[in-house]
């Protein structure tokens, strides 16, 4: 990969300075996504996935802030931009799709009004041209009778259709990067599959890079090129989807995969790995997974660093499952 990645996050730290103490929601997170590539960001609830997405978007509110690291978007550090500069990028060049489409949609405005306003916010085009683009975006996400649908209000759509509209809005400016934060979790499995298929196709065709956030490993199995597994604010394993799923190195990833019945079954949540995610406020020293880890040893009382024990594989563990790869 000699080409510059669309997004490169280096040693990102996003902390919440609360009365109870500092919550290190994202701690030393690094990854990059190339043009037209799809990264799956996977982990249990509270592991820091959404905060990672919000950090890239510049949407972390006090008492939280990006406390360190770089967020290089086509080589430019977003963490250093002013709110005004960030506003120009947000929506036009980097778009976010949320779990709840009503985070994007305005309930009291017709779909055409919202979409046309979105186009005009960043592009000096005529209203007729903006309408044409809005219509094309609805067609792109597989919405039937787009002319009719443009005149409707959000409440006149089903949940799946509403999410498609939110995705269409994210696509309006042909962003270079889309961050999708569990947008299909609430949807029916069939609709989820259709949306994943369409989004994947769009990325391949338009060269858009995608970060797909999910707690559901089976979703990224069919969608992503690379996976980052997060645990307690950190990335614990990174690699191509096939390698990570076929030969997981980290005991946590192994636990996650053990809980997915089949790589072809979508939409099933992860079964529980025994134990609880530790509180980020009082993380014990050493490896954060220690209390739940079948491989834990004395060595794990020290914080493990990210290492690359095999080509193109990274893992944060003293005792990775290298034996599964040897064969
Ligand atoms: N405003 C806030 N103030 C304090 N802590 C926060 C705040 N927002 C998030 N956090 C903490 O940051 C951590 C990471 O949260 P985040 O929302 O990124 O998790 P997640 O991986 O997206 O989980 P989920 O799967 O439930 O969406 C959590 O421990 C959460 O308590
Ligand atoms: S470092 Fe130790 S405790 Fe942590 S995951 Fe690896 S083996 Fe388990
Ligand atoms: Mg989240």
């Amino acid at each position: 990969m000699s080409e510059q990645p669309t997004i490169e996050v280096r040693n990102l730290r996003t902390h919440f300075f609360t009365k109870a103490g500092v919550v290190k929601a994202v701690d030393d997170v690094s990854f990059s996504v190339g043009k037209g590539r799809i990264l799956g960001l996977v982990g249990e609830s509270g592991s820091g996935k959404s905060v990672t997405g919000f950090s890239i978007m510049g949407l972390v509110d006090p008492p939280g802030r990006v406390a360190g690291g770089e967020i290089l978007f086509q080589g430019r550090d977003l963490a250093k931009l002013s709110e005004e500069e960030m506003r120009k990028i947000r929506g036009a060049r980097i778009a976010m799709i949320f779990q709840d489409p009503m985070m994007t949609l305005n309930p009291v405005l017709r779909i055409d009004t919202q979409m046309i306003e979105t186009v005009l916010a960043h592009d000096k085009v005529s209203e007729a041209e903006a309408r044409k683009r809005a219509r094309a975006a609805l067609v792109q996400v597989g919405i039937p009778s787009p002319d009719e649908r443009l005149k409707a209000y959000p409440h006149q759509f089903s949940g799946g259709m509403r999410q498609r509209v939110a995705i269409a809005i994210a696509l309006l400016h042909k962003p270079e990067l889309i961050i999708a934060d569990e947008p299909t979790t609430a949807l029916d499995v069939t609709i989820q599959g259709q949306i994943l298929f369409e989004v994947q196709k769009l990325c391949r065709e338009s060269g858009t890079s995608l970060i797909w956030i999910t707690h559901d490993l089976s979703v990224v199995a069919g969608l992503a090129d690379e996976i980052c597994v997060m645990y307690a604010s950190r990335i614990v394993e990174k690699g191509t989807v096939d390698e990570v799923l076929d030969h997981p190195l980290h005991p946590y990833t192994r636990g996650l995969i053990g809980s997915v019945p089949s790589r072809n079954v979508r939409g099933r949540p992860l079964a529980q790995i025994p134990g609880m995610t530790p509180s980020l406020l009082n993380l014990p020293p050493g490896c954060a997974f220690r209390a739940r880890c079948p491989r834990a040893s004395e060595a794990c009382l020290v914080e493990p660093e990210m290492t690359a024990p095999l080509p193109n594989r990274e893992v944060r563990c003293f005792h990775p499952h290298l034996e599964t790869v040897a064969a």
Side-chain angles (χ1 to χ4, degrees), residues 114-155:
Q114 311 195 30
M115 293 186 81
I116 289 166
E117 272 178 13
T118 306
V119 174
L120 297 179
H122 290 285
D123 271 340
K124 289 194 182 71
V125 295
S126 68
E127 198 176 318
E129 169 64 22
R131 178 175 295 275
K132 218 170 96 191
R133 284 199 207 167
R135 187 186 184 283
L138 292 186
V139 171
Q140 215 178 0
V141 294
I143 291 186
S145 350
D147 293 310
E148 209 174 292
R149 303 317 278 162
L150 274 169
K151 292 184 206 136
Y153 288 87
H155 73 265

Side-chain angles (χ1 to χ4, degrees), residues 63-313:
R65 68 178 158 85
V66 172
E70 291 167 302
I71 303 168
L72 302 172
F73 176 61
Q74 296 172 339
R76 218 166 142 210
D77 191 355
L78 297 182
K80 292 202 173 71
L81 297 188
S82 67
E83 180 47 36
E84 180 58 30
E85 290 171 306
M86 204 51 217
R87 223 187 333 256
K88 284 188 193 141
I89 290 181
R90 210 184 292 135
R93 302 186 57 200
I94 307 180
M96 190 149 178
I97 308 168
F98 303 92
Q99 178 165 4
D100 177 2
M102 293 315 287
M103 294 270 287
T104 305
L105 301 174
N106 184 332
V108 301
L109 293 182
R110 273 172 35 167
I111 297 301
D112 53 359
T113 314
Q114 311 195 30
M115 293 186 81
I116 289 166
E117 272 178 13
T118 306
V119 174
L120 297 179
H122 290 285
D123 271 340
K124 289 194 182 71
V125 295
S126 68
E127 198 176 318
E129 169 64 22
R131 178 175 295 275
K132 218 170 96 191
R133 284 199 207 167
R135 187 186 184 283
L138 292 186
V139 171
Q140 215 178 0
V141 294
I143 291 186
S145 350
D147 293 310
E148 209 174 292
R149 303 317 278 162
L150 274 169
K151 292 184 206 136
Y153 288 87
H155 73 265
Q156 294 172 298
F157 289 77
S158 67
M161 279 296 161
R162 223 177 277 152
Q163 190 58 283
R164 277 175 201 246
V165 175
I167 293 172
I169 289 177
L171 299 172
L172 274 175
H173 293 284
K174 300 193 171 53
E176 286 115 297
L177 173 67
I178 296 177
I179 302 170
D181 192 357
E182 313 229 30
T184 57
T185 310
L187 302 179
D188 168 86
V189 176
T190 317
I191 295 167
Q192 195 180 110
Q194 283 170 6
I195 291 184
L196 290 176
F197 174 76
E198 278 155 16
V199 170
Q200 191 177 37
K201 191 161 143 254
L202 287 169
C203 289
R204 302 288 185 236
E205 286 170 2
S206 62
T208 300
S209 304
L210 176 67
I211 299 174
W212 194 279
I213 295 174
T214 181
H215 62 277
D216 187 345
L217 208 49
S218 59
V219 166
V220 292
L223 175 77
D225 302 301
E226 276 103 30
I227 292 191
C228 286
V229 180
M230 273 189 96
Y231 187 77
S233 333
R234 299 189 154 181
I235 291 177
V236 296
E237 176 151 15
K238 208 191 283 187
T240 65
V241 165
D242 289 341
E243 290 198 83
V244 172
L245 295 186
D246 291 344
H247 305 288
L249 295 179
H250 198 281
Y252 175 64
T253 316
R254 232 176 125 86
L256 289 183
I257 291 169
S259 63
V260 176
S262 147
R263 280 185 56 179
N264 298 322
V265 180
R266 281 190 195 283
R268 260 190 232 190
L270 299 171
Q272 293 294 307
I273 298 171
M276 299 248 298
T277 315
S279 156
L280 298 181
L281 260 181
N282 303 303
L283 268 188
C287 175
F289 191 57
R290 206 174 70 231
R292 302 167 79 181
C293 182
R295 292 204 151 191
S297 75
E298 198 117 323
C300 312
L301 290 164
V302 175
E303 169 84 50
E305 294 293 324
M306 203 69 165
T307 59
L310 295 164
N312 301 318
R313 297 295 302 269

Side-chain angles (χ1 to χ4, degrees), residues 16 18 23-26 43-52 54 61-64 99 181-182 213 215 230 233 280:
F16 290 88
T18 69
V23 178
K24 296 181 177 175
V26 174
E44 285 172 323
S45 186
S47 54
K49 308 181 298 291
S50 294
V51 174
T52 301
F54 291 142
D61 291 323
Q99 178 165 4
D181 192 357
E182 313 229 30
I213 295 174
H215 62 277
M230 273 189 96
S233 333
L280 298 181

